[in-house]
Amino acid sequence: MPATDSPTLPGWRRVTTPGLALAACVVPPADAARPTVVLLHGFPELAYSWRHQVRALADAGYGVVAPDLRGYGDTGPQGPLEAYRMQSLARDVVGLLDALGIARAVVVGHDFGGALAWALARDHAARVQGVVSLNTPYTRRTEVDLVQTMLQARGPAHYMVAFQPPGAGEALLGRDVEATFRGLMRRPALTLAQFAQLPARVQALPATMFTGEPAVMGSPLLDKDALRVFTQAFARTGFEGALNWYRNLHRNWLDTASTPDHVGVPALMVSAADDFFLPPTTTRGMERIVPDLERHTIADCGHWTQQEQPDAVNALLLDWLARRMPAC
């Protein structure tokens, strides 16, 4: 199969599940006593976003599975809009585990992949040994869905609101795909305290943050090879599948109406000190609904945590796995 979006990931293959065929990096554990770690990327990313963690985990003897999730990369857009609701995306991952013969795994997610990791730990706890989230908190269900929450708090320009109409986000992000990734995947130029002094329009996190806001743009994060990987992948697939994750936020809210707000498996929450999208303050109070929780914050780090500070992420992840997921 083509591997244009994951040229540096080992074990790249297509895994057929009952719901769809997922393209994934699959590395069996070198040490049979160690668990498999499933790496779930965010928006707008790829399995390739975990390139630094795949090798570190594999070198430490862990099994690794890093898929291009539904709508992304070599997996590509599959199914109608409703197929991108969180309960369906969670079934995609469970189906992947089934197809690979993995009874239980540690799930690690970043950004929207973090939300998916929490959903798996909550709704499919029998399949999850532990959960790690980079940047994305686990929160209680609110009185209105997240789109309405952001509309009320940040206004109609906020990216979650602006991405709702079909075609709007696609036009913005797809106008110049390379420019989108050059502008978006950067280290932050400001600390969160400095960000709080910017005009309200910027603090509202408008959709233009995804094509580069001059006020917050720091140094580029991607080298030319990594930029080419992201650009080629999204030039091929477009952004509709990825944006469909946002367009199911209301359905996700409806689906969880009777779901207990509780995650019982061991959990690690890793925040980034200067993430404008998901600041560390959003994790306050998590212990009430995630009782077995360990927290860390990575200094001098923006939103693209595992790509921006890979050594710090790898050290935290490997230490937590060694302590909380001991070889059996």
Side-chain angles (χ1 to χ4, degrees):
M1 63 169 290
T4 53
D5 63 330
S6 296
T8 68
L9 295 185
W12 194 247
R13 53 182 282 201
R14 190 172 296 278
V15 181
T16 301
T17 77
L20 80 168
L22 281 161
C25 155
V26 181
V27 181
D31 181 346
R34 293 195 181 276
T36 291
V37 180
V38 180
L39 302 170
L40 306 171
H41 65 78
F43 174 91
E45 297 185 89
L46 300 162
Y48 178 76
S49 305
W50 297 104
R51 58 198 177 278
H52 306 294
Q53 288 69 46
V54 168
R55 297 189 181 281
L57 289 164
D59 287 347
Y62 294 95
V64 184
V65 178
D68 278 349
L69 293 164
R70 185 186 291 260
Y72 290 89
D74 278 352
T75 297
Q78 296 196 42
L81 176 61
E82 294 78 6
Y84 294 81
R85 65 206 306 165
M86 191 59 68
Q87 62 180 213
S88 173
L89 299 168
R91 286 195 295 267
D92 289 346
V93 178
V94 172
L96 179 62
L97 295 179
D98 289 343
L100 295 173
I102 299 170
R104 300 180 75 208
V106 177
V107 292
V108 181
H110 169 250
D111 183 75
F112 232 136
L116 177 55
W118 290 122
L120 284 158
R122 181 192 63 210
D123 300 337
H124 301 275
R127 307 300 300 273
V128 176
Q129 287 178 258
V131 58
V132 180
S133 181
L134 305 186
N135 307 62
T136 309
Y138 181 64
T139 58
R140 292 188 183 277
R141 187 177 188 271
T142 53
E143 292 186 2
V144 296
D145 67 51
L146 192 54
V147 177
Q148 287 301 312
T149 299
M150 290 303 165
L151 177 61
Q152 295 166 10
R154 301 292 182 88
H158 186 269
Y159 67 94
M160 291 188 191
V161 182
F163 286 162
Q164 294 304 308
E170 290 89 335
L172 175 70
L173 302 175
R175 184 179 304 132
D176 184 335
V177 176
E178 182 176 322
T180 291
F181 284 97
R182 280 202 314 268
L184 177 62
M185 288 192 176
R186 289 177 174 261
R187 296 175 176 85
L190 309 171
T191 65
L192 272 178
Q194 292 170 326
F195 180 78
Q197 303 305 312
L198 292 176
R201 183 194 67 81
V202 180
Q203 290 187 52
L205 300 176
T208 51
M209 291 285 284
F210 285 81
T211 54
E213 277 284 348
V216 301
M217 290 169 64
S219 59
L221 180 62
L222 304 177
D223 61 27
K224 63 179 183 180
D225 292 331
L227 178 62
R228 184 182 307 115
V229 169
F230 285 103
T231 300
Q232 289 181 349
F234 282 88
R236 186 174 72 251
T237 64
F239 289 88
E240 181 180 2
L243 288 163
N244 280 345
W245 288 53
Y246 287 102
R247 292 169 184 152
N248 276 280
L249 288 173
H250 181 68
R251 290 183 181 88
N252 296 341
W253 181 76
L254 293 174
D255 289 341
T256 56
S258 59
T259 302
D261 288 324
H262 179 81
V263 169
V265 302
L268 172 64
M269 179 72 232
V270 179
S271 297
D274 299 316
D275 184 352
F276 308 142
F277 296 98
L278 295 165
T281 54
T282 60
T283 71
R284 289 174 181 167
M286 277 180 58
E287 291 85 355
R288 292 193 294 270
I289 49 178
V290 188
D292 190 353
L293 179 69
E294 183 174 325
R295 297 169 173 274
H296 293 276
T297 299
I298 298 177
D300 190 28
C301 187
H303 180 69
W304 313 103
T305 310
Q306 75 271 41
Q307 298 185 82
E308 186 176 342
Q309 295 276 15
D311 292 342
V313 169
N314 292 349
L316 288 171
L317 183 55
L318 290 170
D319 172 70
W320 183 81
L321 286 168
R323 288 186 291 106
R324 299 308 313 274
M325 304 289 138
C328 55

